[in-house]
Amino acid sequence: MSKKSISRRGFVSLVSKAGALGALISTPFISKAGELIKEEEEFGFLTLPYLQSPTATSITIMWLTNKKAFCWIDYGENGILDKKAYASHNGLIEANCGLNKIKLENLESGKVYQYRVVAKEILDFKPYKVTYGKTLNSESYSFKTFETKSDNVSMLIMNDLHDRPESIGHLINLNKNDPYDLIFFNGDMFDYQTDEKQIINHMLKPCTDAFATKTPFMYVRGNHETRGKFAREFVNYFDNISGNFFFAFTQGPVRFVCLDTGEDKEDTHPVYAGIVDFDHYREVQAQWLANEIKKPEFRKASFRVVLMHIPHYYSEEEHGSTHSRKMFADLFNKGKVDMVICGHTHTYKVHDRKPGTHNYPIIIGGGPQNGERTLIKLKANTRKLSLQMLNDNGNEVGSYALGKDARKQDWSI
Ligand SMILES: [Fe+2]
């Protein structure tokens, strides 16, 4: 390897383990004559593919290339990648971009599929002449669609890692070989949003290294993902169900409701410079939630779990917490929510149900310092909802179990 190649390895290291992913990202260097020279970049992937927005019949696959390209997915069953999927909108197939988001649809429930992502470099894009360069294939990966009639669900939850990418792999390793359906990031994975490279190196790379090529993750923002100059582009790098950071989905016996609690201070606070609108955003979510709790899939679920970043109790009396309480607390009780899981306070704690105030436990995960990080393991079958919270040494620091019959009994109180 040349000295030049070695000097570029910092950012490139994210693809070095990828085998087939041969991206080399250059940095300008100074020639002997003092002239700034942009070293020729080799076309490549910036990330491995990461799975988003899983359902029983669809899944979204995302990835990035370092140059503009035309990308697609080859996929199929039993190792035969005989189908292609593109992102097509208004008659045009998405191309000439680096950020790729393609949804595989019409899949079968509970089935294993294999896929690879393909990227064809676009060297020049003229109206009647597109010039292509190299074509790259990723390795082949597998995923399994959600099962429509599954009686079980298993989810791992992390929160408040605050730009500590090594925490993702560390916490997931605490799970050992216990199977799980998906991972949920409950906000504040970053301190604030700076650029694409931060999202790649602090989130996407550790996720694809650990799990995200084969197991999907979902994500709600905390009060830190809303900050910084890249916060308005941030949303493009993820794909939640409904395309929003508030959404609901059913997996196994649980209806999950995910809310975006927004910022922690008043919208008028000077630090936001007059360009946030979170009170209105939470009001919109409350209207959406009022409708959600009337839906059959919510009412008939064996258990109902809310995931949101800022707890509406036990988080001092900051505005993000009190306004979330005003917007959501009555609806949670009215909808007979079984559990609310949050982060934000950086102090892990299991708060038992407080009948008449919050008729459900509020679980708060910790972070971001070593010794304060947590991995929350949530499991359910049709009879029991159970949660276990591990600290970053793998020791249990909290748990909660709820039987379906016990819950019904509680409701009659
Ligand atoms: Fe927070």
Side-chain angles (χ1 to χ4, degrees), residues 16-224:
S16 62
K17 292 180 184 174
L21 305 185
L24 288 174
I25 312 306
S26 72
T27 52
F29 66 98
I30 306 297
S31 74
K32 285 181 180 174
E35 182 186 2
L36 189 65
I37 296 173
K38 186 87 165 57
E39 194 178 351
E40 189 61 30
E41 291 179 333
E42 187 176 333
F43 177 54
F45 292 100
L46 287 178
T47 69
L48 301 177
Y50 53 103
L51 302 177
Q52 301 276 280
S53 198
T55 75
T57 57
S58 68
I59 198 158
T60 298
I61 301 174
M62 298 188 71
W63 71 101
L64 285 102
T65 56
N66 66 334
K67 292 187 174 187
K68 290 182 176 180
F70 161 40
C71 291
W72 68 90
I73 298 169
D74 294 331
Y75 72 104
E77 301 163 51
N78 305 314
I80 302 169
L81 309 182
D82 56 349
K83 299 184 180 73
K84 288 187 188 302
Y86 307 94
S88 174
H89 300 110
N90 306 312
L92 293 175
I93 291 174
E94 289 294 332
N96 209 31
C97 53
L99 175 58
N100 297 281
K101 180 187 295 186
I102 297 179
K103 187 173 188 177
L104 303 185
E105 297 180 285
N106 302 314
L107 304 176
E108 287 185 46
S109 165
K111 202 154 203 170
V112 175
Y113 291 87
Q114 289 78 40
Y115 74 96
R116 68 178 180 184
V117 299
V118 186
K120 195 172 184 180
E121 183 182 7
I122 293 180
L123 296 172
D124 190 32
F125 201 120
K126 288 191 170 62
Y128 264 23
K129 186 181 181 185
V130 173
T131 306
Y132 290 115
K134 283 183 182 175
T135 299
L136 299 176
N137 300 321
S138 75
E139 293 178 25
S140 183
Y141 304 98
S142 296
F143 67 87
K144 186 180 180 186
T145 51
F146 281 0
E147 293 186 43
T148 309
K149 295 182 179 174
S150 173
D151 289 337
N152 299 281
V153 63
S154 177
M155 176 192 280
L156 301 181
I157 302 163
M158 285 172 272
N159 58 277
D160 290 279
L161 300 184
H162 285 277
D163 280 315
R164 289 165 175 79
E166 67 283 358
S167 291
I168 292 176
H170 177 86
L171 292 174
I172 289 173
N173 283 340
L174 301 176
N175 183 59
K176 298 178 181 164
N177 293 319
D178 201 2
Y180 56 93
D181 299 311
L182 75 156
I183 291 208
F184 195 90
F185 292 108
N186 209 1
D188 283 6
M189 295 299 115
F190 302 88
D191 288 333
Y192 52 87
Q193 305 311 137
T194 303
D195 55 23
E196 178 179 280
K197 190 155 63 171
Q198 178 196 25
I199 295 175
I200 292 172
N201 287 344
H202 290 190
M203 183 90 196
L204 301 179
K205 182 183 184 311
C207 284
T208 53
D209 282 352
F211 69 91
T213 57
K214 60 183 187 300
T215 304
F217 70 85
M218 292 198 215
Y219 195 172
V220 294
R221 294 185 305 184
N223 52 303
H224 282 259

